[in-house]
Amino acid sequence: MAAAEARRPRADATRNRQQLLDVATRMFAAAEDEPSMRAIAQEARVGIATLYRHFPTRESLVDAVYRDQVSRLTTGARDLLAQLDPPAALRRWMDLFGDWIATKNGMVGTLLAMVESGEIAHADTRTELLAAIDAILEAGRASGELRADVPAGDIAAALIGTFTVAGSPEHRAMAARLLDLLMDGLRTGTRGRPEAR
């Protein structure tokens, strides 16, 4: 009985932490300005003390959300490949990338300050994301469904460009069309390729 009681707060704490992460992610994505810590706690239906117990500073919360999203992208590539053919996996991963970009909306000020101070290593994130893209590309090359001459860095640049011009919710349909065009150019065959000269 005592052991079960000792485990219960731990499960509650884990649940509260995940609830705070989920709510903060959602609020950061929807916000034009950074939401307050109090607003995040209220939306998560926990006390402000609970939020600060898990995330003592705004930076620690932003760091946790940022790392959680990067982890979802890197593991997402493997998960999608286990369920879908490589072109479909890549196209779905592009949507996940867009979600990750959107999450930065409400934490961009804090995030930039953390990158500048070295608290978040931008180069490490880039390496992880390129590895995720490469994993899908390699599977597509092996199956003959994706072009072998397009590096992961080019795809990342195209995604950043797409979500720079069509990253807001009202441009979701435009983003989807642009991503579909990008996918047309990545598939093997003549579709989307420049004519030979």
Side-chain angles (χ1 to χ4, degrees), residues 65-145:
V65 168
Y66 183 81
R67 292 183 192 284
D68 180 62
Q69 291 299 101
V70 171
S71 175
R72 287 174 193 251
L73 279 171
T74 54
T75 59
R78 290 191 301 270
D79 294 345
L80 289 168
L81 278 174
Q83 302 164 25
L84 304 167
D85 61 66
L90 182 56
R91 179 60 185 83
R92 179 67 190 107
W93 191 89
M94 291 176 178
D95 290 333
L96 294 178
F97 186 89
D99 294 342
W100 177 65
I101 293 288
T103 301
K104 295 180 179 183
N105 288 343
M107 60 183 193
V108 70
T110 302
L111 193 57
L112 288 174
M114 292 173 73
V115 169
E116 286 176 15
S117 71
E119 289 179 65
I120 289 180
H122 181 68
D124 292 345
T125 301
R126 178 176 166 77
T127 300
E128 289 180 58
L129 295 179
L130 291 180
I133 297 170
D134 257 331
I136 301 175
L137 287 177
E138 284 301 321
R141 291 169 186 147
S143 69
E145 296 170 282

Side-chain angles (χ1 to χ4, degrees), residues 139-185:
R141 291 169 186 147
S143 69
E145 296 170 282
L146 293 174
R147 290 170 52 176
D149 61 336
V150 180
D154 287 3
I155 295 172
L159 291 175
I160 290 167
T162 296
F163 291 111
T164 297
V165 299
S168 57
E170 64 268 21
H171 294 125
R172 188 174 300 272
M174 180 196 289
R177 289 193 304 272
L178 292 171
L179 295 177
D180 290 342
L181 284 170
L182 176 58
M183 280 306 307
D184 283 348

Side-chain angles (χ1 to χ4, degrees), residues 11-114:
D12 289 347
T14 300
R15 190 169 47 253
N16 285 341
R17 185 180 192 282
Q18 190 59 52
Q19 173 74 358
L20 284 162
L21 267 181
D22 293 344
V23 166
T25 299
R26 198 167 56 247
M27 290 182 74
F28 285 146
E32 291 185 17
D33 298 314
E34 294 197 18
S36 70
M37 297 286 272
R38 186 167 299 281
I40 292 168
Q42 287 173 342
E43 185 69 20
R45 298 182 182 189
V46 300
I48 190 72
T50 299
L51 186 151
Y52 281 117
R53 191 165 35 255
H54 291 285
F55 306 105
T57 63
R58 171 175 289 280
E59 289 77 12
S60 63
L61 177 60
V62 166
D63 182 66
V65 168
Y66 183 81
R67 292 183 192 284
D68 180 62
Q69 291 299 101
V70 171
S71 175
R72 287 174 193 251
L73 279 171
T74 54
T75 59
R78 290 191 301 270
D79 294 345
L80 289 168
L81 278 174
Q83 302 164 25
L84 304 167
D85 61 66
L90 182 56
R91 179 60 185 83
R92 179 67 190 107
W93 191 89
M94 291 176 178
D95 290 333
L96 294 178
F97 186 89
D99 294 342
W100 177 65
I101 293 288
T103 301
K104 295 180 179 183
N105 288 343
M107 60 183 193
V108 70
T110 302
L111 193 57
L112 288 174
M114 292 173 73

